[in-house]
Amino acid sequence: MAHIHPTALVDPKAQLGENVTIGAYTIVGPNVRIDEGTSFGAHCVVEGHTTIGRDNKFYSNVAVGGDPQDKKYAGEPTCLEIGDRNTIRECCTFNTGTVQDEGITRVGDDNWIMAYVHVAHDCRVGNKIILANSVQLAGHVHVGDWAIVGGMSGVHQFVKIGAHAMTGMCSALGQDLPPFVMAQGNMASAHGVNLEGLRRRGFSAERLSAVKQMHKALYRQGLTLEQTKGQIDGLKASHPEAVADVELMLSFLAASTRGIVR
């Protein structure tokens, strides 16, 4: 059964799984589902059409499932979906989606989300991501698996951050950040490859070599984007172990709508 502090207010229509913990003065609305093992600290608000998976830990003063901060929002029943095993620290805010997109804001699994992070409407946050303190994601932002966004960074609406990418603290991203690339600054510019992060994730020497070659094609050879794509595609023959990494980069470049960080 759920463990609900006597000062918490949980709507009778809310669905709580086994061993869910609801802390002091926390409010849970009627259209909320929380799966087993998830805990909320004190003074949280969980509202809207919100579905939360298993074994998440929400610290105090988190507000999830609130209406999108979008002037076009007219009360449509949009959603927030959060996966499993996320750590979400104090004072984070996650909003539901809008009908101008798919109507869903999604956060995946195994993410480490530090204090004061904002995840706006229609964001897609993948798995095993780190969002450091006070990161602000505007609407429709997509963040790929294993990405790291440095503290106090801001991300413009519709920007995409590729898998394994990384930004330094206080960065401002106004364009898409390709997979594996490190960026820093306001506005952010590219500063090499996230090699140490890739090594920690078990990338082989051949895969690291392919990542370096992709970075070289993107940033150091003065090629057009179409020329760059062709050169990157050619790495599949010379680096067969890195075919999935090459495909990841090519898919990202094909989907980019705001241009890439240079």
Side-chain angles (χ1 to χ4, degrees):
M1 63 187 302
H3 308 284
I4 302 172
H5 193 277
T7 62
L9 297 176
V10 178
D11 192 283
K13 295 181 182 179
Q15 301 176 54
L16 305 184
E18 292 291 321
N19 296 315
V20 166
T21 299
I22 305 297
Y25 301 102
T26 286
I27 299 171
V28 180
N31 298 308
V32 172
R33 173 183 168 180
I34 305 173
D35 288 344
E36 63 183 89
T38 288
S39 65
F40 279 86
H43 298 280
C44 297
V45 177
V46 193
E47 57 185 325
H49 290 79
T50 296
T51 301
I52 300 171
R54 302 176 57 173
D55 300 318
N56 297 284
K57 187 169 185 179
F58 294 80
Y59 284 72
S60 62
N61 296 287
V62 165
V64 295
D67 292 345
Q69 298 179 73
D70 187 325
K71 288 185 176 181
K72 299 184 294 299
Y73 181 67
E76 301 91 349
T78 55
C79 304
L80 168 67
E81 295 180 355
I82 299 174
D84 302 332
R85 300 177 303 278
N86 296 288
T87 296
I88 299 168
R89 296 301 303 248
E90 296 83 358
C91 302
C92 289
T93 54
F94 296 2
N95 294 155
T96 57
T98 65
V99 295
Q100 285 73 36
D101 203 313
E102 295 180 14
I104 303 173
T105 302
R106 290 190 176 95
V107 177
D109 304 329
D110 301 300
N111 296 299
W112 184 262
I113 300 177
M114 299 186 197
Y116 293 94
V117 167
H118 177 61
V119 177
H121 60 86
D122 305 294
C123 283
R124 306 285 185 272
V125 177
N127 307 309
K128 297 180 170 63
I129 289 162
I130 297 174
L131 302 179
N133 294 298
S134 299
V135 165
Q136 308 292 293
L137 304 183
H140 314 278
V141 166
H142 292 190
V143 185
D145 296 347
W146 294 101
I148 299 173
V149 184
M152 296 178 285
S153 293
V155 185
H156 194 281
Q157 62 182 350
F158 294 101
V159 160
K160 298 178 179 66
I161 299 175
H164 303 283
M166 180 177 181
T167 76
M169 66 179 293
C170 298
S171 295
L173 278 178
Q175 294 179 297
D176 298 337
L177 180 61
F180 314 114
V181 174
M182 294 194 301
Q184 170 79 53
N186 184 2
M187 299 298 288
S189 57
H191 293 279
V193 176
N194 184 17
L195 290 176
E196 184 57 35
L198 299 179
R199 290 190 185 102
R200 292 178 182 181
R201 291 163 208 152
F203 273 57
S204 66
E206 181 176 339
R207 293 178 71 190
L208 292 175
S209 175
V211 169
K212 291 177 185 178
Q213 292 298 314
M214 288 190 285
H215 182 270
K216 183 177 179 180
L218 279 169
Y219 293 106
R220 297 186 180 179
Q221 295 184 319
L223 304 175
T224 67
L225 186 58
E226 289 307 311
Q227 290 171 331
T228 299
K229 291 177 183 177
Q231 187 154 323
I232 290 173
D233 189 55
L235 293 171
K236 289 187 283 190
S238 58
H239 295 74
E241 189 179 328
V243 167
D245 304 318
V246 172
E247 292 288 358
L248 175 66
M249 179 66 79
L250 291 173
S251 296
F252 184 91
L253 295 176
S256 176
T257 57
R258 293 188 56 82
I260 65 171
V261 169
R262 293 288 190 179

